[in-house]
Amino acid sequence: GSTYVLEGINQITYTNPNKIEEKVLSNRNNLPSVIKNSGAPNLRITQTNFYQPKVWFSLISPISPSAFSFYTFAYLGSFQLNGQTVSKIQVRPKSASSDLFEGTLSIVEDTWSIYSFSLAFRNSQGYYTFQQQNALFQGVWMPINYDVNVNFEAMGFGATFRYITQVKEYSIKVNPAYVVKPTIIEERLHKDWAKEINKEKISTPKLALSSDITRKKLKKVLKELDKEEKKEVKEEFSSDYTFTVDSTASTKKEEFWASERQVPLTEAEVKGYKEADSLYVQDDKKRLKDSVNALPCSSPNISTTS
């Protein structure tokens, strides 16, 4: 019957290949003091990457290289967006498994970039839905909205959880090697030309993407790029994540949050904040009373002179 709310504005800096710096600029929550004093949960949902083969350690992404072994796909139609075609695809697992998603996925044609998705999965502890919307920044499709819903039930305990975030600003320095759009040569239509291209050795994978290429050779080039990426990560650092909180993060007033908040609070969330405030006042009175009662009791020896 309790509603807990966490709000925050964070600044995240990512540097290729695997360096992330996250700073909390402002935060607010009505968590119980036991949890609050131990540090509010650091939710890193926005760092979920569906381009990786697996999401959250075990879930197989619908655009994983092995996706066709686990999912069936159906074309649901397409629409035009600033001269680009976006296709909507239905995603269904081939078998009942807690490691697989179901839902819809929208892909930008020719680039295989994610435009948006609405995916769900179920396990023994509950039902989870994950929505993401991307937008174009300097030729790169970047997430601008996340909406995660969880209905959790285990060991006699039940809860609903919702996580919403909006990305307001992006400052990107694009690596030109990763925004090259190669010209794909269809091997069935240009057999001789494709044969010559496939014979050529891959000396520089990134340079190979800037010229005519077959799908067969493209797969090889992408594998080489993946090896280079993994080598960079291994040589430099396998994980480099720093998390800091600004000293003024928790001092912002309600007026600040009302202007910055991207999604209005629900009635339950407003009530949750009010209940937390009233409990804090009660706890504060109790702490004062307890501290007074804990004072040492003694009979003072008073003498008077005239």
Side-chain angles (χ1 to χ4, degrees), residues 191-202 214 216-217 220:
K191 293 182 180 179
D192 294 336
W193 187 8
K195 191 178 290 184
E196 290 299 318
I197 293 174
N198 290 336
K199 282 182 181 179
E200 296 174 2
K201 291 185 177 180
I202 304 172
T214 63
K216 181 179 179 180
K217 191 169 184 178
K220 291 181 179 180

Side-chain angles (χ1 to χ4, degrees), residues 21-136:
E21 299 170 81
E22 185 167 3
K23 184 177 183 179
V24 178
L25 302 181
S26 52
N27 60 17
R28 182 189 188 207
N29 67 74
N30 68 334
L31 291 171
S33 57
V34 175
I35 300 176
K36 190 180 293 187
N37 294 337
S38 64
N42 176 21
L43 302 174
R44 297 173 65 181
I45 292 175
T46 53
Q47 295 170 27
T48 303
N49 184 1
F50 273 76
Y51 290 109
Q52 294 288 345
K54 290 189 176 182
V55 181
W56 302 319
F57 304 107
S58 63
L59 292 159
I60 298 170
S61 171
I63 57 173
S64 162
S66 60
F68 287 98
S69 299
F70 299 95
Y71 296 103
T72 58
F73 300 93
Y75 175 69
L76 299 178
S78 61
F79 62 92
Q80 294 294 312
L81 181 70
N82 299 325
Q84 292 182 290
T85 301
V86 179
S87 296
K88 189 174 183 180
I89 301 165
Q90 185 179 59
V91 180
R92 287 180 176 172
K94 287 186 175 181
S95 61
S97 172
S98 59
D99 293 336
L100 301 175
F101 290 99
E102 63 177 343
T104 58
L105 176 69
S106 293
I107 295 290
V108 182
E109 290 290 337
D110 299 326
T111 68
W112 285 95
S113 300
I114 296 173
Y115 173 72
S116 66
F117 60 72
S118 178
L119 299 168
F121 71 94
R122 186 188 300 276
N123 62 19
S124 59
Q125 296 180 335
Y127 185 71
Y128 308 74
T129 63
F130 195 112
Q131 295 179 329
Q132 179 178 311
Q133 178 65 58
N134 293 353
L136 200 59

